[in-house]
Amino acid sequence: QVQLVESGGGLVQPGGSLRLSCAASGFTLDYYAIGWFRQAPGKEREGVSCISSSDGSTYYADSVKGRFTISNDNANNTVYLQMNSLKPEDTAVYWCTTADIVVVHTTECLLYGNKYWGQGTQVTVSS
């Protein structure tokens, strides 16, 4: 059974940093891709970043390029999202996700088939 558990959210001041973790179980990251999505109040859910463990492909939304870094630790079946230079507009609930098929390119991250989501973690950027 696929399970994803996020952690690492919290309250941080503008310009600060947080590292989100996504612990995966029920499958091995070696052959899957993981994405981070977020949803701010009153807005639609959007893709933030994705990584393919098989070939290392990554995707970043334009709004986070240069500030966020996604990485994977296949030995521990965990994916991280390092978030630096945080802005108030980064405030959202963040989820990690995977699917039967995840296509990761530098310009897009697409999920097909059954999708699996964690419970989400709140990130609040405020002074």
Side-chain angles (χ1 to χ4, degrees), residues 19-23 29 33-36 49-53 56-60 68-74 77-83 96:
R19 188 177 78 158
L20 304 183
S21 299
C22 174
L29 288 179
I34 293 286
W36 284 97
S49 182
C50 296
I51 186 167
S52 170
S53 296
S57 300
T58 57
Y59 161 80
Y60 295 97
F68 290 12
T69 302
I70 193 169
S71 62
N72 55 357
D73 178 354
N74 287 357
N77 240 29
T78 301
V79 171
Y80 303 99
L81 185 67
Q82 178 67 43
M83 306 187 296
C96 63

Side-chain angles (χ1 to χ4, degrees), residues 8-24:
L11 173 64
V12 64
Q13 292 187 342
S17 298
L18 283 173
R19 188 177 78 158
L20 304 183
S21 299
C22 174

Side-chain angles (χ1 to χ4, degrees), residues 23-53:
S25 61
F27 66 103
T28 57
L29 288 179
D30 290 348
Y31 306 106
Y32 285 84
I34 293 286
W36 284 97
F37 283 66
R38 69 184 180 185
Q39 187 169 21
K43 294 189 176 181
E44 293 186 359
R45 188 178 296 188
E46 63 172 349
V48 176
S49 182
C50 296
I51 186 167
S52 170
S53 296

Side-chain angles (χ1 to χ4, degrees), residues 57-106:
S57 300
T58 57
Y59 161 80
Y60 295 97
D62 288 342
S63 58
V64 306
K65 281 180 183 176
R67 300 188 299 121
F68 290 12
T69 302
I70 193 169
S71 62
N72 55 357
D73 178 354
N74 287 357
N76 291 305
N77 240 29
T78 301
V79 171
Y80 303 99
L81 185 67
Q82 178 67 43
M83 306 187 296
N84 298 329
S85 302
L86 283 162
K87 304 176 181 180
E89 50 264 43
D90 294 317
T91 295
V93 177
Y94 285 70
W95 292 272
C96 63
T97 182
T98 191
D100 292 341
I101 299 174
V102 181
V103 178
V104 182
H105 297 301
T106 55

